[in-house]
Amino acid sequence: MSVASVEFIDPREPVAIVPILRAGLALAEHASSILPATKTYHLGFSRDEETLLPALYLNKLPDIFPEGSRIFVVDPMLATGGTIVAAVNLLKERGIGNQQIKVICAVAALPALQKLSENFPGLPVYIGIIDPTVNDKGSV
């Protein structure tokens, strides 16, 4: 045990959970029991297995988020970073700033973290474990 910095979330403030389908649903499942003011907005991406580039097939984001919204983007695995960068870009197009977004994942590979850092400096990312590499199929 040691000292840790924490951020408290006022349960009355608007919080949006954005799971990346389908795997992100597991991380989003119980969010509303912890944060009662949450709304869930789904994003679905498929990935071209040759180019490893994401393709959006479902976008349930609102055109405008409530003032002061905090956005939690949840995806269990960040490998190449293409999908998470595309998801954050969709939020940025709606006027959401880096300080409002938090990315939450179980495992992330260094290429994904480098891509996030290059595209969105200072964006908070919460990770269970970091994998140093991805395989030739773009997976950890």
Side-chain angles (χ1 to χ4, degrees):
M1 300 293 257
S2 67
V3 176
S5 61
V6 298
E7 180 179 344
F8 290 98
I9 297 172
D10 185 336
R12 297 166 296 188
E13 290 180 359
V15 175
I17 307 297
V18 180
I20 307 297
L21 297 182
R22 290 177 327 241
L25 292 174
L27 295 176
E29 184 177 358
H30 299 289
S32 62
S33 65
I34 299 168
L35 301 165
T38 60
K39 296 232 182 239
T40 302
Y41 304 103
H42 299 91
L43 286 176
F45 290 92
S46 60
R47 184 169 70 168
D48 183 305
E49 294 305 321
E50 289 184 25
T51 66
L52 304 181
L53 295 174
L56 182 68
Y57 68 83
L58 179 74
N59 180 352
K60 292 295 186 175
L61 296 177
D63 291 332
I64 299 171
F65 282 90
E67 179 86 23
S69 288
R70 294 172 186 247
I71 316 295
F72 296 164
V73 182
V74 295
D75 192 356
M77 182 181 72
L78 308 181
T80 65
T83 298
I84 195 66
V85 166
V88 173
N89 275 328
L90 288 170
L91 294 168
K92 303 288 274 179
E93 289 171 7
R94 286 159 174 76
I96 302 297
N98 281 5
Q99 71 282 2
Q100 293 172 266
I101 302 169
K102 303 210 183 313
V103 174
I104 302 168
C105 64
V107 61
L110 284 179
L113 297 176
Q114 290 166 336
K115 194 174 282 187
L116 275 172
S117 179
E118 290 166 5
N119 286 276
F120 313 107
L123 179 73
V125 181
Y126 299 90
I127 308 161
I129 191 167
I130 298 174
D131 192 320
T133 61
V134 295
N135 64 22
D136 60 345
K137 295 182 181 175
S139 189
V140 293

